[in-house]
Amino acid sequence: MVKTAAQPAALLAWMDSLGDPTRLRLLRLLERHELGVVELCDILQQPQSTISRHLKVLGDQRWVRSRRQGTNHLYRTILDELDPSARRLWVLAREQTEAWPTTQQDQLRLDRRLRERQGDSQAFFAGAAGQWDKLRDELYGSSLNGAALVALLPADYVVADLGCGTGAMTAELAHSVKRVVGVEESAAMLKAARKRVEGMDHVDLRRGELEALPIEDGSCDAALLSLVLSYVVEPAAVLREMGRILKPGGRGVIVDLLPHDRDDFRRQLGQRSMGFEADDLQRMALAAGFIECSVRSLRPEPQAKGPALFIAIARRGPVTL
């Protein structure tokens, strides 16, 4: 292979990017989490001007990318978008800083920030359980359940309703499939769901976190995430769990918000995300073990007051050991 004149320059630029402790700390954080400047300032205990300056260097060198959410910009390192040589250099740098006490301190502050994020969503659902069904219909329309059910067809399916809320979808699925396993973290929502499905022997409701589902590996034919991903801290982790519980060839169905700019809506609903781009969702699905993922927009109902929605259908690939 003939070396080009640009390669030494690129190598020196990459080494310069990694030659600063603050930038190393930022990359370690942003490799696994999408974070805003205010959060990064809190975690690294450095002023905004310093963090912004280092983020600009990393952005110019394409180590990180950002997206706008309301008045904020969120940053993330996407490893598979890095130049392969830069990626190898970063893997080495990450290994060499694994035992660095500073990064361990950063992780503790990051954990606190993530718990605070999750608390916002839990507080919303604790207060909304009694009126969630009505609110959901007002915001997104009454045909939401039918749009997701179309993708879950066969009557002999075992289906997981992840983030089942008050059990509206769980109850509908119970009339169409062999067995439904509903998982919900909010105690208030789960109480409402148990009341709704009372007497349905083939419905199994479990309390648990979406990032660590209380469901056995490969035990479900299909899994549903309906208006759930917008509330979670780490959507990629939830998709990995969805993939884990599906049988090879099983289908995951996701209904959620298309990208929007209504930050007031996001805050009012306790959501973490302002919607998902199809490319980002497909990238996460492939990384989670799905071998294909199709995404299409749903036509908004005339009376719906919330942002428009999409439906994604992903197929689980073979399990690799």
Side-chain angles (χ1 to χ4, degrees), residues 297-308:
S297 302
L298 294 176
R299 182 177 299 174
E301 293 188 30
Q303 74 276 18
K305 300 176 182 178

Side-chain angles (χ1 to χ4, degrees), residues 55-66:
L55 287 172
K56 185 178 187 308
V57 172
L58 294 174
D60 289 344
Q61 288 293 324
R62 300 189 178 182
W63 289 98
V64 302
R65 66 169 177 161
S66 66

